[in-house]
Every structure is written in C-alpha cells, then in structure tokens.
Amino acid sequence: MNTILFELGTEELPPKSLKTLRDALLDNVRTALDASGIVYENIRAYAAPRRLAVQMDNVATTTPDKVEQKRGPALKAAFDDNGELTRAGQGFLQGLNATGLTLSKDDLITVSDKKGEYIGYDLTIKGEAVDVLLPAIFQKALDNLPIAKRMRSGADRHEFVRPVQWVVLMRDEAVIDAIIQGHKTGNQTRGHRYHAPDFVSIAHADDYQELLKNQYVIADFDERQASISKQVARLADEVGADAIVPDELLDEVTALVDFPVALRASFEERFLAVPQEALISTMQADQKYFCLTDKNGKLLPYFIFISNIDSTDKQAVILGNEKVVRPRLADAEFFFLQDQKQPLSYFAQLLKNRVFQDKLGTIWQKSERIAKIATTINQSLANQDGWQDINDDDVVRAAMLCKADLATTLVGEFPELQGVAGTYYAKNSENPAVAQAIEEQYLPKFSGDNLPQTAIGTALALADRIDTLVGIFGIGQVPTGSKDPFSLRRASIGILRILIEKKLPIGLSSLVQASLSAYGEVLDNHQKIFEEVMTFINSRYRAMYTEQGVNVDTILAVQEINPDTPFDFDERIRAVEAFRALPQAKTLAQNNKRVGNILAKVQGDIADEIEQSLLVEAAEQALFLAVSTAKQAVAPRQAVSDYQGVLQELVQLDEPLTQFFDGVMVNADDENLKNNRLALLQQVRALFLSVADIGLLQS
C-alpha cells in the first residue's frame, strides 16, 4: 500500500490557531515532497485538540534517479593533436573517477553551449530512500509553522507551540525510526483524554482514522465540524429556531473538541429584556455557545453548547452549563438596568473628560464637530428624496448623543455594543429617528456590511468618518504600509460606499472642507491636510473596485479626470465597463491614446474654434461633421450625466477617426492647417473626456 502516517501528539493546541496550523503543515509537507521529487498520490492533514497529522497514499520508496551533467575544459584544451587527453582532460577524468567511477576517455561526451564545445559526462545520481528523507521533511515542516511564540517543556530544548507528548511515523505497518521534536518515533497514539486516555498501537498506517474513532477522536477537522453543524441544526429545528453560527466561532469550537456532542440548554426569559446583542456577545465570547433566534432574528431563551464528553448523564451537563451562564447574563442585566437610571444625555456629559486623541481633544469635542459636519451634510441634501423633512435640531441632537454610550457600564463591559447600547437607551426618551441614527453611525462596519438607512444615520456615519480622517491626517499620523491603527482605509471605503450606493450628490472636497471648518484652529495648514486627505480617499477607489472585478485600466481612465463626487465616479465606471464590451472600443481606445499623445506634445494654446475653410481633406471634413453631430447628440445626455449614453453616441466617431489618421497628416507644413487639425482633435478628446480618458484602456 505504501501509506505514510505522521502524527505529532501534544498538549491541547491553541483552538484559534488549529485550522491554520493544519493547513500550514499540509502546505509545508507538500512543498517539501515536491521539491525532493518524492512521488505520492494523495495527501491530507488532520487536526484535533491534541494532535496534528499527515497521511499520504502510494508514496514511492525512493526518489527518481537524476542525471547531472558534468562539464570539463574546452574540447580544444582537453585533447592534443593525436586525440589523446591533455593534462587538463586527464585532470577532469581523474576527478570523475575519484568519486568511484572507472571511466576512460571514450566515456566522455561533447557538451556545447553558446560559448563553445567542452568535454563532459552525464553522471547518473541514484535516488535516495524516501524513508531516510521523511524525518527531516517533517521536522522542517514543523519548524516553519506560523507560530508566534514557541515554548519549551521542562529541560527539553525543543520548542513548539505546546509540549510534545508523542510522535508517530510509519510506512504501512512498519515504524520509520527517527527523532522528531526530541521524541523517538513509534506507532503509539492516544485517544480521547477521558474516554480513552491510554496509549494504543496503530497496526497499519491506513487504520489511523478508524482507530481513533474507536478511541473517541474524530481526527478530521472538517468531518468534526460537519458533525457539529448537523447536530446544532437538528437541536435548533426541534424548537423551531435558527442557530447563530459565526464561522470563527464554529472553527474555534471544532478545535476544542475531539468527539463533539451537541446539547441544548436554556436560560430565564427575563434576561431577554436585556439587549440581545449583549447576551449573544457574552454567550459566544465567554462560553463558546451557539445562540438561537426565531425566524425574525429575535433571541430565544435557548443556547446550544458542544461537549467534549459523551456523558451518561447529559441532563447534569446541561444543568451545569445553565448554572455557569446565569451569572454572566445577570451581569449584563445589571449593567443594562444601572445605565437606565440616568438619561443618555447624562452619559454624554461624561465625555467631556474622555479623550478622543491627545491632540484632537475629547470625545465631547468630537461630537460637537460631528454635529457641525452632519448639519452641513443635511443642509446640502435638503432637496433630495428622504431628506426634505429632516430637522437640523434632530441632527445635532443625534450627533451630541451618538457617542454617549461609550461612558455607560454596558459598553464598558461589552465594547462591541457601542452604538447598540445607545440606541436602546435613546428609545426610552429620544425621537425614534435620533435613536436609530445612533446605531447606524457605525455602518458599514466591514466589507459588504449594510449601510445606514435613515438620513440622520447617514449624516452621522459620514461625519464621524471624515472627522477622524481629517483629524488623524492633521496630526501627521498617516497610515504607512500595512499599519493603519485608526482604520482610515476602512473609513474611506465606508464614505465612498455610502455616497455611491445611496446615490448622494456630495463631493469629497465639500466633506473635507466641512471637517476642516469644524476643526478650525485646532489644526494647522488646512490646505496641506485637504490635499493629503483627498489623495488618500481617492486612492481607495482602486481597492474598492478591483474587489468588485472592475478592470484596473477602467479605474485609471476615470481617475484621470478626477471626478469629485463618488456617485458620479461610479456612474462613469459603469459606463466605461459597458463601453469596453463594444466591438469599436479597442480601436477607439487606441485612437484616443494617439490623440492624447499628439496633443500632449503641443506647445502653446490650441484654438477652441475650427475653421471649416481649412478642412481640405475629405477625411478631416468627415471627422468634423461626425464631431458636430456627436456634440448635438451627447448634449442632452451630458446634462443628465448619462455617461453610458454619451459613450454609445461617441461610438459613431470610430470610423471617421480611423480614416482621419489613415489619410491626414496632422503636423502639416502649413501652420494654419496643422493648428486647425489640432483643434479638431482637441474637440474629439474633449467629447470622450466628458466621461473618462478611454485612451488608457488596454486591449
């Protein structure tokens, strides 16, 4: 069969890293096998709380023979006129024979390259025994695992993420003798820590998975995870609920258990009066529980936990978990009730003593700036749908309360509830629109997240982000490389997404200016900050659109004309992407590039008007007519920013422009003809630049 089995047995491995360690081990071993020329068919990795393992099928016993060409002196220097080896030739032959060969001059060959001909020999190097190579391969694979901090166990000098207890290395039924991580290899493994704690022998490498299952260990991470998901779904269905199963939590729970047994427990319904986000947070983060909701997403008084023991008294295990979670839920309830003894405005006042950033003042001062910026946004959008009835007083009220929950005990215990807690508290005494806006200020929180739905929430979300961007740039803490401690890249993309997806006609420059105005004399050199922030936000377009699958040259074509309004930028992107699918796009792009190159070399001004009397060639007359017709056709489309329509109309310039370049000399000897033709090309370029610089599109 030629099955190789490697297993590293350890103390419990870090659950948040287990899946990563498994994947890295598999990649490291596969790379080393390929580099060594070791032939195998299948390879798979296993990971459980106390083990990492690799199993390979049909592994060759030796590496393939390989031929290494040895090259000696030049042919002319190797033989004399009589065809006998010279001293140089004899030295080369003797060097070969010193390795154990018995060669004569007749065994030598001629090797040629660009520089000439040489004597040489094709030396066959026998393959090595794979079992001799494997220990070093596995040791190196372990050494290269992504482990941030390694540890030693007792006097053992070998380091690993956790103390190593045993090592298995086998080919079929035989042990491959070696020392790995300071342990002698064998065929002894261990099962479940409680159900099967003793060592057990592996009779054959193929028996690995089945043997461990009999010892209450599901070694395959994915199989164990699938079992958890199936059990959780079944228990949730029994009470008509949906389980909340975040991927990260599922991975962590899978890494914590060898033999998953899902059980459903409950808690008192009185806790449901507490914000469900707080309950879910504490049950997920502290207890690794899967919470249950009804079909509308409302939390139910149940949770599912995964036990690593198949207890004969499951009810006792359930009661134990209910007992453990009760005080945690009671803490959340206590914080929630304590906070409500004061209005939200009380907590807002406490922000006067809480620093946002040393050089940028307190959180209260940030709230004041947000209020000013959000009011400016509201006023600029007063005629937009959904904004007509938004009162500036409500905007200011929401802004001054939006950070208030940072001073509450609930957010102090559960920082991830900022915005959520404030929304709950605001519902008791504030305008519903103000309450909802407090939660929406943080949207979107991540790529693909929902956007704020209300006008006030949208204004706060924009104001909060632009205030942070301008302030941090203003004090010189600009993101560098991969370091972005204030998440300014994410803030920028959040601004762009809101303005684009909500189709808001707000320019980036007006947002930045509003923020600078709110900071006033707190920041110096407003012009420098303005330019840096504008450049930074505009640079986010590329990352955002490439993630959507938009061609990079499309992005560059639009960026070349630097639209100030993100929604307008997006409309142009969509237009150019649609245009490049047209059959005429390639030729038009090439000709536009040519037009741009010609105009870039012109020194001095180019006339705005075209003298028809100077259009002497048929091709330039035809292009002039096509341009005149296109101007009339695109004018109404330009007026409503119908960029796709503009480019559709400009397609008619394809043939006239091609014929112009085929039959007309732009740089004519006659200066008047030359200038007139440049003026004609400038009008062509202006038509296309009303959308984008399509000359930057690649074929």
Side-chain angles (χ1 to χ4, degrees):
M1 295 291 291
N2 284 327
T3 300
I4 296 293
L5 172 66
F6 168 73
E7 181 191 52
L8 188 77
T10 69
E11 291 297 325
E12 274 73 6
L13 293 162
K16 292 185 178 181
S17 304
L18 185 61
K19 192 174 181 181
T20 299
L21 292 174
R22 177 202 66 176
D23 294 343
L25 178 62
L26 181 63
D27 289 342
N28 291 350
V29 172
R30 182 189 286 120
T31 299
L33 292 173
D34 294 342
S36 301
I38 297 175
V39 178
Y40 62 94
E41 283 192 5
N42 300 309
I43 181 170
R44 53 200 164 276
Y46 304 105
R50 294 200 297 161
R51 73 200 70 232
L52 290 168
V54 175
Q55 192 176 43
M56 299 175 287
D57 299 331
N58 295 328
V59 185
T61 55
T62 61
T63 60
D65 294 346
K66 56 184 179 180
V67 176
E68 184 176 304
Q69 192 171 80
K70 300 291 185 179
R71 194 178 77 172
L75 194 61
K76 291 180 180 180
F79 292 98
D80 59 22
D81 294 339
N82 297 320
E84 298 298 327
L85 288 173
T86 63
R87 181 174 295 181
Q90 290 174 359
F92 174 66
L93 184 62
Q94 289 171 3
L96 291 173
N97 287 333
T99 64
L101 300 174
T102 55
L103 305 178
S104 68
K105 71 173 184 177
D106 295 331
D107 295 311
L108 300 178
I109 62 174
T110 300
V111 179
S112 301
D113 64 14
K114 294 180 180 179
K115 295 182 179 180
E117 294 183 324
Y118 307 83
I119 61 170
Y121 179 73
D122 287 339
L123 178 64
T124 299
I125 301 174
K126 292 292 185 181
E128 298 178 81
V130 169
D131 291 359
V132 174
L133 300 175
L134 286 176
I137 286 175
F138 286 118
Q139 183 62 66
K140 185 176 180 181
L142 295 173
D143 292 341
N144 291 335
L145 290 180
I147 299 172
K149 188 175 183 180
R150 295 173 180 259
M151 62 182 294
R152 293 181 182 178
S153 177
D156 188 355
R157 65 182 178 82
H158 296 88
E159 297 182 341
F160 198 60
V161 65
R162 291 291 184 270
V164 176
Q165 299 294 318
W166 72 90
V167 180
V168 172
L169 184 57
M170 302 174 64
R171 179 185 288 272
D172 294 336
E173 69 279 354
V175 172
I176 299 174
D177 290 325
I179 301 294
I180 297 177
Q181 285 296 133
H183 287 258
K184 183 174 174 55
T185 57
N187 65 349
Q188 298 272 301
T189 187
R190 278 178 169 170
H192 194 284
R193 182 179 285 278
Y194 303 108
H195 288 305
D198 298 329
F199 277 108
V200 60
S201 296
I202 304 171
H204 194 287
D206 287 335
D207 300 339
Y208 182 66
Q209 278 201 84
E210 197 60 35
L211 173 69
L212 284 181
K213 283 182 180 178
N214 293 333
Q215 303 299 309
Y216 290 87
V217 175
I218 300 175
D220 189 299
F221 187 97
D222 295 334
E223 182 181 345
R224 207 161 61 249
Q225 188 166 91
S227 175
I228 292 172
S229 297
K230 185 176 180 180
Q231 292 182 64
V232 168
R234 175 178 56 79
L235 291 175
D237 287 343
E238 288 178 359
V239 291
D242 291 329
I244 302 175
V245 187
D247 291 340
E248 288 186 6
L249 178 59
L250 180 59
D251 283 346
E252 187 175 358
V253 171
T254 303
L256 285 167
V257 296
D258 282 310
F259 190 79
V261 178
L263 298 170
R264 186 181 63 248
S266 61
F267 58 85
E268 292 91 330
E269 290 194 23
R270 68 182 175 87
F271 289 124
L272 294 177
V274 179
Q276 69 178 48
E277 293 85 355
L279 304 181
I280 292 170
S281 177
T282 191
M283 285 191 282
Q284 288 182 346
D286 299 327
Q287 302 304 126
K288 314 306 176 188
Y289 293 161
F290 299 110
C291 302
L292 301 183
T293 68
D294 63 20
K295 301 304 178 182
N296 296 317
K298 181 175 175 55
L299 187 66
L300 295 173
Y302 302 107
F303 60 90
I304 294 172
F305 64 94
I306 307 300
S307 174
N308 194 32
I309 300 176
D310 190 12
S311 175
T312 56
D313 188 357
K314 292 181 173 56
Q315 190 57 39
V317 179
I318 291 172
L319 291 174
N321 277 268
E322 291 177 345
K323 183 178 180 180
V324 168
V325 79
R326 190 174 297 115
R328 296 190 179 279
L329 301 183
D331 285 347
E333 179 186 45
F334 172 78
F335 297 138
F336 182 59
L337 294 176
Q338 279 293 108
D339 287 341
Q340 291 184 88
K341 292 180 179 179
Q342 301 289 347
L344 192 58
S345 56
Y346 165 80
F347 295 103
Q349 294 294 323
L350 299 180
L351 299 179
K352 293 180 178 179
N353 298 317
R354 295 205 175 195
V355 176
F356 164 58
Q357 204 283 335
D358 286 343
K359 297 179 181 179
L360 301 177
T362 64
I363 300 177
W364 172 268
Q365 290 170 319
K366 178 178 176 64
S367 299
E368 290 182 317
R369 294 193 299 270
I370 291 174
K372 292 178 181 178
I373 301 167
T375 300
T376 299
I377 293 170
N378 183 49
Q379 292 172 353
S380 69
L381 295 173
N383 296 323
Q384 298 294 310
D385 290 341
W387 292 79
Q388 292 94 335
D389 299 323
I390 304 303
N391 191 298
D392 282 348
D393 292 339
D394 287 339
V395 174
V396 172
R397 182 67 175 173
M400 296 309 298
L401 295 177
C402 70
K403 304 297 181 185
D405 63 3
L406 295 177
T408 64
T409 54
L410 187 63
V411 172
E413 183 70 15
F414 304 102
E416 66 274 16
L417 295 186
Q418 53 188 286
V420 175
T423 300
Y424 277 94
Y425 299 150
K427 287 178 179 178
N428 295 331
S429 58
E430 302 293 333
N431 181 326
V434 170
Q436 187 171 350
I438 292 173
E439 181 176 11
E440 291 183 342
Q441 67 178 303
Y442 293 104
L443 298 178
K445 296 179 181 178
F446 49 84
S447 177
D449 192 20
N450 294 329
L451 299 181
Q453 295 301 303
T454 67
I456 300 178
T458 299
L460 294 187
L462 290 170
D464 186 14
R465 286 169 170 81
I466 200 65
D467 174 79
T468 300
L469 271 163
V470 169
I472 300 303
F473 267 84
I475 59 175
Q477 295 192 24
V478 182
T480 56
S482 60
K483 294 183 179 180
D484 186 9
F486 293 94
S487 299
L488 300 187
R489 293 183 178 92
R490 186 172 62 188
S492 297
I493 290 180
I495 289 171
L496 295 177
R497 277 196 60 202
I498 291 171
L499 294 177
I500 290 169
E501 295 178 36
K502 298 187 77 67
K503 302 181 179 181
L504 300 179
I506 298 178
L508 291 176
S509 58
S510 64
L511 265 184
V512 177
Q513 291 289 8
S515 181
L516 287 167
S517 176
Y519 271 106
E521 296 181 359
V522 172
L523 298 178
D524 298 326
N525 201 341
H526 282 203
Q527 184 58 35
K528 179 176 179 289
I529 299 170
F530 174 83
E531 292 171 359
E532 288 180 347
V533 173
M534 288 294 293
T535 299
F536 183 78
I537 299 177
N538 279 312
S539 69
R540 295 303 99 204
Y541 279 122
R542 181 163 179 170
M544 186 176 72
Y545 281 113
T546 50
E547 187 176 321
Q548 298 174 24
V550 175
N551 292 283
V552 172
D553 51 345
T554 294
I555 303 167
L556 296 176
V558 176
Q559 282 186 317
E560 185 65 21
I561 63 170
N562 197 28
D564 184 48
T565 304
F567 174 57
D568 183 69
F569 191 105
D570 185 71
E571 291 285 284
R572 295 171 188 269
I573 287 284
R574 306 305 167 193
V576 175
E577 282 289 271
F579 166 78
R580 65 186 305 151
L582 300 175
Q584 301 92 336
K586 181 178 179 180
T587 305
L588 279 169
Q590 292 172 343
N591 284 333
N592 264 268
K593 182 177 182 179
R594 189 172 179 182
V595 170
N597 290 338
I598 291 171
L599 296 178
K601 296 176 182 178
V602 175
Q603 295 181 349
D605 296 332
I606 299 175
D608 294 328
E609 299 297 326
I610 298 169
E611 292 288 340
Q612 287 185 256
S613 62
L614 295 175
L615 300 173
V616 296
E617 300 287 349
E620 62 183 328
Q621 293 171 0
L623 180 58
F624 172 76
L625 180 61
V627 168
S628 300
T629 303
K631 282 183 179 179
Q632 295 179 349
V634 302
R637 296 184 182 276
Q638 289 173 331
V640 295
S641 301
D642 176 13
Y643 301 121
Q644 288 195 39
V646 170
L647 290 179
Q648 286 281 358
E649 295 289 352
L650 294 182
V651 165
Q652 65 179 292
L653 296 180
D654 178 33
E655 187 174 343
L657 190 55
T658 299
Q659 291 178 350
F660 176 86
F661 281 125
D662 288 343
V664 178
M665 175 66 71
V666 177
N667 292 318
D669 293 335
D670 187 318
E671 196 70 17
N672 291 327
L673 290 179
K674 172 185 172 181
N675 292 336
N676 203 52
R677 288 166 183 171
L678 290 173
L680 179 58
L681 291 181
Q682 181 167 262
Q683 292 196 8
V684 171
R685 183 156 176 77
L687 283 170
F688 283 97
L689 285 179
S690 68
V691 179
D693 186 355
I694 69 165
L696 295 177
L697 300 183
Q698 304 296 315
S699 56

